[in-house]
Amino acid sequence: MELWYSENHTDNVRFSLKIKEHLFSTQSNFQRVDILDTYEYGKLLTLDGLVMVTERDEFVYHDMIVHPSMAVNPNIKNVLIIGGGDGGTARELMRYPNVQHVDMVEIDKMVVDASRKFLPTMSSELDNERVNVLYEDGVEFIKNKNNFYDLILIDSTDPIGPGEGLFTTEFYNNCFKVLKNEGILVNQNETPVYNEFFKVGISSNIKLKKMFPIVEVYQASIPTYPGGYWLFNFASKKYNPIADLKEDDWNSLGLKTKYYNTNLHIGAFSLPNYVKEKFENGNV
Ligand code: SAM
């Protein structure tokens, strides 16, 4: 008998992966957590049945949520990750010797525990002494901090369930307050391929533009995410992601990345007209 995992990207579009084995399943206080072993993409983490990361294509997402900011501001020392329970974002940050401290505020310990057990290539740096994992709601955590972080990475689920509060003006305002004067915020910003997701992305972009002087959108191709095409917001108090790219500084680090490079950085911020125009108009 064949076993398949499916995710509805819309009411009329379904994405399926053939499964070798259903390795883990539990209901935490926040969501259903599953780990499946797939033929094509290796191990897969789903939350409430939605794809979070796969072993085969996680490098795209984790390269692209981390490296663009690090190539713009080489002096990033203190970083806040909101979410990021699989550990891949923290792993990429640990490749930078100048990163002194990472607070990873993940609401669901079950996600971290499952990732430690089944996704060792992603969770490999969670015991690094520079990484401080806190099992808290990012919405609450951010409220009583001030002016501390150089970079905030919102590596969250979609705005449903616990992730909902991570897409509000109040939350972004609080993020703005805890960022230093040269601070950068990056959040995963959904896909423009399907309107339900695109609406979230545009709404998030509009809210960030109300408080950050520089807000740009960049893109990456992530096969297992809806539309295979994913966006990120780059919101900055000072640096322009293209004009202030420090190519030579970043390349001198000699980091071997599977997806990101400083030429691709330029292209990532060069959006197709149908996407660019909708962000400029502020509606889908
Ligand atoms: N790369 C994935 C994506 O783009 O959808 C995100 C992966 S990561 C597993 C998402 C994490 O956000 C989950 O572990 C979830 O528990 C966490 N999360 C959701 N809402 C949160 C909140 N309010 N505070 C902290 N973590 C939260």
Side-chain angles (χ1 to χ4, degrees):
M1 183 187 76
E2 292 188 349
L3 186 61
W4 286 80
Y5 156 83
S6 290
E7 176 183 343
N8 289 343
H9 289 170
T10 74
D11 292 343
N12 312 307
V13 176
R14 182 170 292 176
F15 173 76
S16 297
L17 292 173
K18 195 172 176 184
I19 300 300
K20 285 182 194 168
E21 191 180 350
H22 194 161
L23 297 171
F24 176 80
S25 185
T26 192
Q27 181 65 41
S28 77
N29 294 331
F30 304 96
Q31 55 213 336
R32 181 168 159 175
V33 183
D34 287 276
I35 303 269
L36 303 143
D37 193 5
T38 74
Y39 284 94
E40 198 68 48
Y41 281 88
K43 293 200 190 65
L44 158 68
L45 165 67
T46 70
L47 295 180
D48 285 340
L50 303 178
V51 169
M52 291 292 121
V53 287
T54 78
E55 284 181 317
R56 179 172 161 190
D57 71 354
E58 58 90 2
F59 71 94
V60 181
Y61 178 89
H62 292 123
D63 268 22
M64 291 306 281
I65 198 168
V66 170
H67 300 307
S69 302
M70 303 306 287
V72 168
N73 178 6
N75 302 313
I76 287 173
K77 294 181 174 55
N78 290 302
V79 184
L80 171 62
I81 301 170
I82 303 280
D86 51 77
T89 299
R91 179 196 66 202
E92 289 308 305
L93 285 167
M94 288 300 99
R95 304 178 69 184
Y96 293 87
N98 61 293
V99 170
Q100 292 173 359
H101 182 83
V102 175
D103 284 329
M104 186 177 107
V105 180
E106 165 56 58
I107 200 167
D108 194 343
K109 183 174 185 300
M110 190 57 72
V111 177
V112 176
D113 291 349
S115 300
R116 283 179 189 277
K117 183 171 180 189
F118 295 103
L119 303 172
T121 58
M122 287 179 230
S123 57
S124 54
E125 291 294 340
L126 290 181
D127 291 326
N128 189 306
E129 60 183 9
R130 292 183 286 160
V131 177
N132 175 33
V133 182
L134 300 143
Y135 298 114
E136 296 183 38
D137 182 342
V139 177
E140 296 307 316
F141 174 86
I142 202 84
K143 285 178 180 171
N144 50 27
K145 293 280 175 304
N146 253 307
N147 191 284
F148 180 73
Y149 296 107
D150 303 298
L151 176 65
I152 297 178
L153 302 175
I154 306 171
D155 179 10
S156 73
T157 43
D158 299 335
I160 39 179
E164 195 168 353
L166 304 176
F167 289 78
T168 65
T169 298
E170 182 200 7
F171 173 70
Y172 293 146
N173 264 321
N174 288 330
C175 288
F176 188 91
K177 283 184 207 142
V178 305
L179 278 171
K180 291 182 177 172
N181 293 336
E182 302 186 353
I184 297 170
L185 176 148
V186 171
N187 73 329
Q188 67 88 356
N189 202 37
E190 311 290 328
T191 178
V193 173
Y194 302 119
N195 279 350
E196 280 317 299
F197 293 90
F198 203 2
K199 281 180 199 162
V200 172
I202 286 177
S203 162
S204 166
N205 184 264
I206 289 170
K207 290 169 187 170
L208 289 168
K209 279 176 175 165
K210 288 182 178 149
M211 54 197 81
F212 285 88
I214 299 163
V215 180
E216 298 294 342
V217 178
Y218 64 99
Q219 65 203 339
S221 60
I222 304 176
T224 55
Y225 282 5
Y229 176 27
W230 211 249
L231 302 177
F232 299 84
N233 278 309
F234 178 102
S236 170
K237 288 189 175 184
K238 175 181 178 184
Y239 293 114
N240 177 288
I242 303 297
D244 294 313
L245 171 61
K246 310 287 186 307
E247 283 180 272
D248 295 342
D249 286 6
W250 193 85
N251 287 315
S252 69
L253 292 172
L255 297 183
K256 291 280 170 277
T257 44
K258 213 169 157 186
Y259 190 87
Y260 179 83
N261 62 62
T262 51
N263 293 326
L264 177 133
H265 179 112
I266 307 286
F269 284 90
S270 307
L271 301 174
N273 288 343
Y274 85 95
V275 178
K276 191 163 163 282
E277 285 159 9
K278 288 183 176 168
F279 277 107
E280 286 163 356
N281 301 338
N283 54 49
V284 289

